[in-house]
Structure formats: structure tokens, C-alpha cells
Amino acid sequence: MTTTSQGVGFRSERGPILIALMLATGLVAIDSTIVATAVPSIVRDVGGFSSFPWLFSAYLLAQAVSVPIYGKLSDMAGRKPIILAGIGLFLLGSVLCGIAWSMPSLIAFRALQGLGAGAVLPVSITIAGDIYSLEERAKVQGYLASVWAVSSVVGPSLGGIFASLGLWRGIFLVNVPLCLLAGWMLLRTLHENVERAKHRVDFAGAALLAVSLGLLILGALQGGQAWEWNSPASIGVFAVGGVLLALFLLVERRAAEPVLPSWVVSRRLLGTTALVSFGVGAVLIGLTSFVPTFLEGALSSSPLVAGLALAALTVGWPISASQAGRLYLRIGFKATALIGVSVTVAGLLVLALTATVPNVASVAGSCFVVGLGLGLVATPTLIAAQSSVPWNERGVVTSTNMFARSIGSALGVAVFGAVANAIYAGTPGGDSSGPAVVAASGAVFLAALVAGLVTVAAVLAMPAVRAGTSGGKGPDQVLADAEDSTQ
């Protein structure tokens, strides 16, 4: 598939595909925020209060472990069948969630939704990398990032409306028309020329990867929550996951077409951009998980006010992401990412320093600054990674980048949760005490700052490749040559 300069926007020739990609991205974005506000209504109807965190864990696990597999499959069979399959799974999971009769059934159907989301998000970004030129991709990423900004406001509001009307099942059934519309538009407008060849699907590697990473992420998510870190359950989960991961690495060395090739992390540009994405995931989860709790517990702010303060982060992100292209075309990917990560660290530093004197305006402002920084970090590093490989490797590279972000979020949840719980455990009143909430949130924001500083190191380790044209070569080929020269 080739990229041509036909303009970027809804009215351009590729506009219908962009709209379809935004709709598909919106499915995942809204679903990540709409469920939380309806949890009380769900529990009242189907019970299972002690199990409700699995509504989120099951979804996250299924999404995270399936991303690398879908990326490889999209390189083998093409993007279109994989994203349509993902939308179909998400649709089926949504319908089943809407008719769930118990908490266990709802959790199982949420996992099915997660399997669909694991294809939708990375393949959408990969398609954008296929059909848009290097110069256009940052602007397109701004369009896709804006979906998250809108969803951060629409999701909680819509979930609250359905919950207040006693119609919590509607939060899942609202996905049905969106899935059908996105699938129909992609089916009608996206056309691929995929070279048909016989492939040897690495089923053993895919199964080992999914199970091993599922267990390791499960251990990170539930450690200190469902069980103690040093409990037999925790040790057993990590031990089995580690053994299976080692077996996966052995299988991949012999596989004809490994699901996760070793070059994905051995190439300097790809390895460092994956580390950057890992840091972005950790910073994101630190703010999205604890900013609302901080404001509600320290200032007794309403969930709506706390949610809007956090939404400032997802407003800043698309603003800077849409402008990142102008920067990286002038000064290169690494320099642009360094500016972004510096802005991110500055926002996190202000947030950590002002945590002892909580204020909605300062928190929202800090989140906005962090969002501006992350837009200048995530977009150029992802596009640099995509542009350094040919079409038949772009799916694996994109999914690996997104997977690294998921792992960063999963480990971030575990680390930040452990930090907060340690403070709650040593404070009278625990998490119901305002001073304890302030202390715990401040510690988490400081930990997020550390994650930001680690991300600075990852950006500094990136090779200084530039986006440009030379000697009749396209920008992607020039970047690929530069990447080869750094190995």
C-alpha cells in the first residue's frame, strides 16, 4: 500500500477512511471511561461487588495480550480483515454484556470486548501509517487523539445518564450502531493490495505469549489488591508466567514466522521508542487513576469536576500531537520528543509540588501541560518507529509500541497502587481520611515524575534520525536507511 499526498481531512479522498478509523478508535476510547460511572448500578442489579474490579482487569488483560498477535496477523493477511474481525468481536462482546445475567458472565463478556479492542486500536493506527505520508501522519494522529479528548468527557457523562435512569445495559448496547457504522465504512472505503503468500502461523508462539503475558500482567494488576505480593498465589502466578515466557522465547527462535520477531526490540530505534511508550503508559495511568481520587478525597469535589480536571490532559494531547509534524520535519524526531518529555516532566513536577495544597485549577493546569508534553512524545516516537520499516513489518512495530504502553500502564497500576496502599495502611482512617489521600496522591505523583524522568533517558537513547527526503528517496526510506546505520 502506498501513501499519496491528497490532503488530510474529512472532505479529502481518504476522509471516509479517517472517519471510520475515528469511529473505531471511539469504540475503545468511550468504553474505557463509560463503565466506571455505572458500576454502582451494575452491582445493584447483578451483584458481585467484590468482583467488580475484574470488569476492568479482564478487559485490560485480554486487550494487552492480544495486541502483538493482531499486529503480526495484520502483516500477514492485511489490515482490513483483522480490524473488521476486531470490530466484530467488540460488537459481539458488547451485545453479550448488554444481556449479562451475573457478574461472572459480565466479566467474561468484557474479556471478549477486550479481545476485540486489542485489534481495533493498533490496527487503526497502522492503517493511518499506511495511507498517509510521513508529513501527514502527525496531523492524522491529532485527529485520532481528539477522539480520546471527546471520549473523556462524553464517556463519564453518558455512563452517568444511563446509570441515573437505571439503564446500565445501555452503556454496552450503545456500541452496536457505532460498530456497525465503522465496519460498514471500512468495508466500503478501505481497499488493500496484499501480496497473497503461504504463511506458517506461529500458533504455539501466540498461545505461549498470550498465556505468559496474561499471567504476568495479572500478577502486576492484582498484587497487593486481591492477594499479598509475597503470597503463594502471587509467587505462583509470576513463576508460571516467567517459565512460559522463557518457553515462548525458545519457540520464537525456531519459528519460521515468529509472532514477535527479535528485531522488534534489537533495533535501537524500535527498542528505545518502545521504552518511551512504556513510560508514557506509566505516566498516563498514574494521572488517570489518582487525579480523580485526589480531588474527591482531598477537596470533596464531585466526580464530574474531578473528571473534567483530568480531561484537561486529553485536551492538551491532541493539540500538541496535531502540531508535532511541523516540529519533527524541521528538527527531527528525537529533538521533538525531547521537547515533549521536558514539558511532561515540568507538568508532573508542578503536580507533585502542589499536591500538599490541593486546588482544582492547579491540578487541571498541570494535567493540561502533561497532555501537551505527551502529545509531543508519543506521536513522533510512534511515527519514527512506523516509518523505519516496510509495510509488511509495520503492523508488528505498531502493535509492539502499543503493547509497551499497555505494559507500562499495567506495571504502573501495580507500583502506584502499592505506594498508595502503604501510606493508607500507616494512616488512621486509611483511604477515607483526607490527609491520607493527600499524602498517598502526592507520593503517586512523585512516582509518576520518576517515570517521566526514566522516559527522558529513553528519549536520549534514541538515534538522532531525521524525517526528510534525499536522493530521490521517500521520507520513509530515508528514515529506514538512517535506522539501519545505527545498528
Side-chain angles (χ1 to χ4, degrees):
M1 184 174 294
T2 59
T3 59
T4 56
S5 183
Q6 305 165 341
V8 177
F10 299 144
R11 296 184 180 181
S12 68
E13 183 178 340
R14 296 162 295 178
I17 300 178
L18 177 59
I19 294 172
L21 295 179
M22 292 177 71
L23 280 171
T25 302
L27 293 172
V28 180
I30 291 178
D31 197 76
S32 66
T33 58
I34 195 173
V35 176
T37 52
V39 165
S41 298
I42 295 173
V43 171
R44 282 196 300 269
D45 192 4
V46 300
F49 177 79
S50 61
S51 302
F52 87 82
W54 279 96
L55 290 176
F56 308 97
S57 296
Y59 179 92
L60 179 61
L61 277 168
Q63 181 182 9
V65 301
S66 61
V67 162
I69 297 170
Y70 287 127
K72 179 62 178 179
L73 290 176
S74 75
D75 284 339
M76 295 170 62
R79 325 296 188 210
K80 189 172 182 177
I82 302 304
I83 193 171
L84 289 176
I87 292 174
L89 283 174
F90 196 88
L91 172 62
L92 178 59
S94 297
V95 171
L96 292 174
C97 283
I99 61 174
W101 54 90
S102 65
M103 184 61 75
S105 66
L106 185 57
I107 291 170
F109 300 147
R110 280 284 287 169
L112 184 60
Q113 271 191 311
L115 288 176
V120 170
L121 190 56
V123 178
S124 294
I125 296 174
T126 305
I127 292 172
D130 289 339
I131 68 174
Y132 289 100
S133 69
L134 184 62
E135 294 88 343
E136 297 169 327
R137 288 176 200 164
K139 191 172 183 179
V140 172
Q141 290 298 323
Y143 277 98
L144 296 177
S146 69
V147 174
W148 291 90
V150 173
S151 299
S152 67
V153 178
V154 172
S157 302
L158 201 58
I161 291 172
F162 279 119
S164 63
L165 295 175
L167 301 172
W168 65 266
R169 297 178 187 275
I171 67 175
F172 299 109
L173 298 179
V174 74
N175 292 326
V176 173
L178 294 176
C179 286
L180 293 175
L181 180 59
W184 175 77
M185 291 187 69
L186 285 170
L187 192 64
R188 183 171 176 268
T189 62
L190 180 60
H191 305 289
E192 294 182 303
N193 294 318
V194 181
E195 294 184 9
R196 301 299 175 185
K198 290 185 177 181
H199 294 282
R200 297 182 63 181
V201 181
D202 183 17
F203 290 112
L208 285 170
L209 178 66
V211 177
S212 63
L213 292 180
L215 288 173
L216 293 173
I217 296 173
L218 174 65
L221 286 173
Q222 299 301 314
Q225 304 293 326
W227 50 65
E228 296 295 328
W229 287 105
N230 59 353
S231 67
S234 179
I235 295 172
V237 165
F238 281 116
V240 175
V243 170
L244 292 179
L245 184 60
L247 287 175
F248 164 75
L249 295 175
L250 291 175
V251 168
E252 293 303 273
R253 293 178 64 180
R254 299 183 178 183
E257 295 188 59
V259 68
L260 195 62
S262 61
W263 56 259
V264 171
V265 291
S266 63
R267 295 180 189 175
R268 183 178 166 192
L269 177 61
L270 299 183
T272 51
T273 51
L275 286 175
V276 171
S277 188
F278 179 92
V280 169
V283 170
L284 269 177
I285 201 69
L287 268 60
T288 55
S289 298
F290 286 91
V291 163
T293 302
F294 173 55
L295 292 178
E296 291 175 37
L299 297 176
S300 299
S301 300
S302 68
L304 179 60
V305 170
L308 290 176
L310 178 62
L313 186 150
T314 48
V315 171
W317 188 314
I319 291 175
S320 60
S322 63
Q323 301 302 313
R326 296 183 180 181
L327 271 178
Y328 68 61
L329 289 173
R330 289 183 180 180
I331 63 176
F333 294 103
K334 180 177 180 177
T336 303
L338 274 175
I339 293 173
V341 77
S342 299
V343 173
T344 300
V345 168
L348 291 169
L349 180 61
V350 172
L351 187 61
L353 291 176
T354 59
T356 55
V357 284
N359 177 278
V360 174
S362 66
V363 170
S366 299
C367 287
F368 180 73
V369 171
V370 171
L372 286 175
L374 290 177
L376 290 176
V377 176
T379 298
T381 51
L382 172 61
I383 293 174
Q386 284 185 330
S387 301
S388 70
V389 296
W391 182 92
N392 64 323
E393 295 178 350
R394 194 171 291 150
V396 167
V397 167
T398 304
S399 63
T400 300
N401 194 277
M402 302 304 297
F403 175 68
R405 188 183 300 181
S406 296
I407 295 297
S409 294
L411 292 179
V413 165
V415 173
F416 298 150
V419 169
N421 288 335
I423 294 176
Y424 289 142
T427 306
D431 57 8
S432 61
S433 166
V437 170
V438 171
S441 300
V444 168
F445 298 152
L446 186 61
L449 175 61
V450 173
L453 293 173
V454 172
T455 308
V456 172
V459 173
L460 288 171
M462 285 178 59
V465 294
R466 294 182 64 87
T469 56
S470 175
K473 297 179 181 180
D476 286 19
Q477 185 59 50
V478 173
L479 186 57
D481 292 346
E483 161 66 2
D484 289 340
S485 70
T486 64
Q487 297 178 51

